[in-house]
Amino acid sequence: VQLVESGGGLVQPGGSLRLSCTGSESIFKLYAVKWYRQAPEQERELVASIAWNGAADYADSVKGRFTLSRDNNKNAAYLQMNNLKPEDTALYYCNLRAGTSDSWGQGTQVIVSS
């Protein structure tokens, strides 16, 4: 399945962004979707995941600030990011694993800076 992220950009500290991940196939609705991020010279970090039924988990660093949701009718998942901090600056990727298939989007850049 092909994944396309969108919604990144430049935002001031304390601001908000909403990232979207859209899948190309209907199997999107059957599997968990995960958001990762990678800052320069750092390892990729799991930010949040959402099961097919909407149950979501978050990294401690984003709990209370980020909310992950999905709309299976649109084959889409949304990462609402509030109260953004400079340390949230990274390239954000969505990921879906369906059996042996491991799909990644191209990433969307988030920059939090004043």
Side-chain angles (χ1 to χ4, degrees), residues 36-47 89-91 93:
Y36 290 81
R37 65 187 181 187
Q38 187 166 20
E41 301 182 356
Q42 294 189 19
E43 293 188 356
R44 190 171 292 183
E45 173 191 18
L46 176 62
V47 175
T89 294
L91 189 59
Y93 299 89

Side-chain angles (χ1 to χ4, degrees), residues 12-112:
Q12 292 186 342
S16 297
L17 284 173
R18 187 192 193 212
L19 306 184
S20 298
C21 172
T22 303
S24 62
E25 299 179 22
S26 60
I27 64 168
F28 182 95
K29 62 177 61 70
L30 301 177
Y31 296 93
V33 175
K34 299 182 178 182
W35 280 94
Y36 290 81
R37 65 187 181 187
Q38 187 166 20
E41 301 182 356
Q42 294 189 19
E43 293 188 356
R44 190 171 292 183
E45 173 191 18
L46 176 62
V47 175
S49 63
I50 187 165
W52 67 273
N53 62 358
D57 288 309
Y58 303 91
D60 288 343
S61 58
V62 306
K63 276 182 181 177
R65 300 188 297 122
F66 290 13
T67 302
L68 182 54
S69 61
R70 67 189 298 163
D71 184 342
N72 287 337
N73 291 325
K74 296 182 178 179
N75 292 338
Y78 307 102
L79 185 65
Q80 177 66 42
M81 306 187 296
N82 298 328
N83 190 22
L84 283 161
K85 304 176 180 180
E87 51 264 42
D88 294 318
T89 294
L91 189 59
Y92 284 71
Y93 299 89
C94 64
N95 167 255
L96 184 148
R97 295 182 183 178
T100 58
S101 174
D102 190 15
S103 300
W104 293 86
Q106 81 289 350
T108 185
Q109 182 70 49
V110 172
I111 300 173
V112 184

